[in-house]
């Protein structure tokens, strides 16, 4: 799994993104913070598209994103051709998103997970490899945009 992480959020996800940024650095990850930089209201697509565009250009990154519910950021990121973005609200979902779906972006609901839960979700997502096999055939049926 890549040690290069893209991290993005809107204003609702900013406090949790800030926490995860420092936590990831302590874990030894290279983190590229794509914003936002505060709790002033912003439009989540602006930050989701930044993340998606970078993944479209390079497979060396894996993404973590946050917004209030995770839905808006996930919808924006999913518009990009090389992203497989998954809404992850617990460790089991994060694990299966990587193991079975080969997700390369984990989007968390910043308003609905604790710092400890966000760390556990990120750790599970980043530490799980795609299983391939029967799942690879299914993932390959997801058309590129």
């Amino acid at each position: 799994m890549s040690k290069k992480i893209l991290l993005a959020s809107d204003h609702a996800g900013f406090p949790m993104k800030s926490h995860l940024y420092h936590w990831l650095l302590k874990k030894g990850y290279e983190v590229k913070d794509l914003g936002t930089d505060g709790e002033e209201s912003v439009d989540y697509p602006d930050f989701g598209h930044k993340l998606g565009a970078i993944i479209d250009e390079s497979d060396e990154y894996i993404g973590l994103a946050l917004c209030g519910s995770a839905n808006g950021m996930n919808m924006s990121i999913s518009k990009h051709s090389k992203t497989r973005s998954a809404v992850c609200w617990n460790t089991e979902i994060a694990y299966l998103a990587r193991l079975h779906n080969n997700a390369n972006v984990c989007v968390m609901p910043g308003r609905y997970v604790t710092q400890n839960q966000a760390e556990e979700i990120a750790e599970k997502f980043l530490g799980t490899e795609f299983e391939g096999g029967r799942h690879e055939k299914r993932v390959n049926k997801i058309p590129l945009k």
Side-chain angles (χ1 to χ4, degrees):
M1 181 60 56
S2 174
K3 290 289 241 181
K4 293 185 175 186
I5 310 297
L6 298 173
L7 193 57
S9 76
D10 70 353
H11 57 282
F14 172 76
M16 193 65 68
K17 179 185 69 90
S18 181
H19 172 78
L20 285 175
Y21 176 81
H22 296 289
W23 179 80
L24 288 162
L25 289 176
K26 286 180 188 174
K27 291 283 197 176
Y29 288 98
E30 179 183 324
V31 184
K32 186 171 187 175
D33 186 346
L34 303 175
T36 192
D37 298 323
E39 294 184 60
E40 184 176 323
S41 184
V42 294
D43 298 330
Y44 56 81
D46 296 339
F47 301 94
H49 288 311
K50 277 185 190 180
L51 189 150
I54 293 171
I55 289 179
D56 278 351
E57 296 298 320
S58 173
D59 62 0
E60 68 181 316
Y61 292 99
I62 192 160
L64 297 176
L66 299 107
C67 67
S69 69
N71 289 308
M73 191 69 85
N74 187 60
M75 290 175 190
S76 299
I77 293 166
S78 292
K79 296 295 182 185
H80 292 266
S81 64
K82 293 186 180 177
T83 60
R84 289 174 308 282
S85 182
V87 173
C88 300
W89 62 92
N90 64 38
T91 57
E92 184 175 2
I93 297 299
Y95 174 71
L96 291 173
R98 287 286 307 137
L99 188 73
H100 290 179
N101 306 116
N102 201 17
N104 55 8
V105 181
C106 171
V107 185
M108 290 182 255
R111 289 183 174 152
Y112 299 98
V113 294
T114 66
Q115 290 181 347
N116 186 55
Q117 289 169 325
E119 290 173 7
E120 290 173 351
I121 291 165
E123 190 162 50
K124 184 61 78 170
F125 187 81
L126 297 172
T128 303
E129 293 291 334
F130 180 48
E131 186 175 57
R134 71 185 193 277
H135 304 292
E136 188 160 7
K137 176 182 78 166
R138 295 169 184 158
V139 169
N140 289 339
K141 288 184 175 184
I142 301 169
L144 294 177
K145 296 157 202 84

